[in-house]
Amino acid sequence: MFLQLCKIESFKLFKTKAWTYLFVSPILIAIILFVGDQAMPSGRMKWAMADALIANVHGLLFYPLIGGLVTSFICRYEHEAGGWKQLLSLPVTRTSVYGAKLITAAAFMGILQVLVFVVLLGVSMLKDYPSAVPLKMIAGNMLGGWVAVLPILAFMLAVSMACSSFGASLTVNVILTLPNLFVANSERFGPWYPWTQPMYGMLGVTGKASWGLMLTTQNFLVVVISSFLLFITAGLLYFQRKHI
């Protein structure tokens, strides 16, 4: 039944306009990489700079924002015409409903990362990138960004379940994402703010301070894992007690 719930949630999501957001970041990244190609360094550093550009454009703003949009769309049907009552009248538990929605959102964000990865490889074939593709580095950074967005999805899913207004949940996400512009380079606040973690994950954290951000792998994992457990527990407890 759980797998069936996941299929239903995926179907509902892709019946909305949410699927169009899969192409926003890839198209923007492709344009930026093409336009800024002349300013890129040559040699292997070109891969590193392209990856850093993706992290600062896609990971800093668009990826967290799209995550909030997706969770809002996932709950949109249920907020209309008594959808929650209809869904929970089925032989399903609230835990399975919450889990199916979270997994669907995570899968959507995973697909988005794959598209960004494909765009980078496509641009590298058309431009003068070194033939030795650092697949391990790029794939690892895309995976790091995806893992880092999971706490945001868990939090925004709870907000979307609580807010019947589509615009209200989007406003919350924008309010929490915009501070990234100010705290991302802050040694004091940046490494501990959950919404900056997708950017850090896409930059590729190492066992020591990287990219001058004073961010270590341990710091990254502590923030991502602890915030994910906190948000998913709070969201699930809220949904279990929510009056339908």
Side-chain angles (χ1 to χ4, degrees):
M1 190 63 187
F2 182 73
L3 292 177
Q4 191 64 26
L5 268 177
C6 291
K7 291 180 181 178
I8 292 171
E9 292 297 335
S10 299
F11 177 77
K12 289 191 298 185
L13 179 61
F14 282 93
K15 285 288 288 183
T16 68
K17 295 179 180 179
W19 65 270
T20 59
Y21 295 106
L22 282 173
F23 305 103
V24 175
S25 279
I27 291 174
L28 180 62
I29 289 167
I31 293 172
I32 292 175
L33 289 178
F34 265 98
V35 173
D37 184 70
Q38 295 300 321
M40 300 278 279
S42 59
R44 187 176 176 81
M45 274 301 296
K46 195 164 190 175
W47 285 109
M49 291 305 297
D51 193 60
L53 187 148
I54 289 173
N56 282 279
V57 174
H58 172 60
L60 184 64
L61 284 179
F62 287 95
Y63 202 46
L65 286 173
I66 292 172
L69 280 168
V70 169
T71 54
S72 298
F73 274 113
I74 281 178
C75 295
R76 195 172 187 180
Y77 278 112
E78 281 70 33
H79 285 307
E80 297 176 353
W84 287 114
K85 290 183 178 180
Q86 295 176 31
L87 177 59
L88 296 176
S89 66
L90 299 173
V92 296
T93 64
R94 295 195 180 200
T95 300
S96 60
V97 169
Y98 182 90
K101 288 183 177 292
L102 184 59
I103 288 175
T104 301
F108 183 98
M109 300 304 285
I111 294 172
L112 177 54
Q113 287 297 79
V114 171
L115 290 178
V116 171
F117 179 74
V118 170
V119 164
L120 176 57
L121 293 183
V123 171
S124 72
M125 294 178 185
L126 297 174
K127 294 294 183 177
D128 187 26
Y129 280 60
S131 57
V133 183
L135 286 176
K136 185 177 180 181
M137 180 194 77
I138 299 172
N141 292 351
M142 291 296 106
L143 179 61
W146 177 78
V147 170
V149 86
L150 296 180
I152 299 174
L153 297 180
F155 179 86
M156 289 308 304
L157 180 58
V159 172
S160 299
M161 286 178 165
C163 298
S164 57
S165 169
F166 184 80
S169 60
L170 293 184
T171 301
V172 171
N173 190 39
V174 170
I175 290 173
L176 292 171
T177 302
L178 287 181
N180 285 358
L181 297 172
F182 306 101
V183 304
N185 292 315
S186 169
E187 295 180 5
R188 183 176 180 183
F189 300 108
W192 302 102
Y193 189 55
W195 270 255
T196 61
Q197 301 309 309
M199 182 195 74
Y200 294 148
M202 290 184 211
L203 283 174
V205 291
T206 62
K208 56 183 180 180
S210 53
W211 291 93
L213 298 172
M214 299 303 293
L215 182 71
T216 64
T217 302
Q218 182 180 10
N219 190 165
F220 175 78
L221 292 176
V222 165
V223 174
V224 171
I225 294 173
S226 60
S227 59
F228 178 71
L229 292 177
L230 174 64
F231 294 153
I232 197 173
T233 301
L236 190 53
L237 285 175
Y238 166 78
F239 188 51
Q240 291 283 9
R241 298 177 183 181
K242 178 181 172 66
H243 178 70
I244 303 298

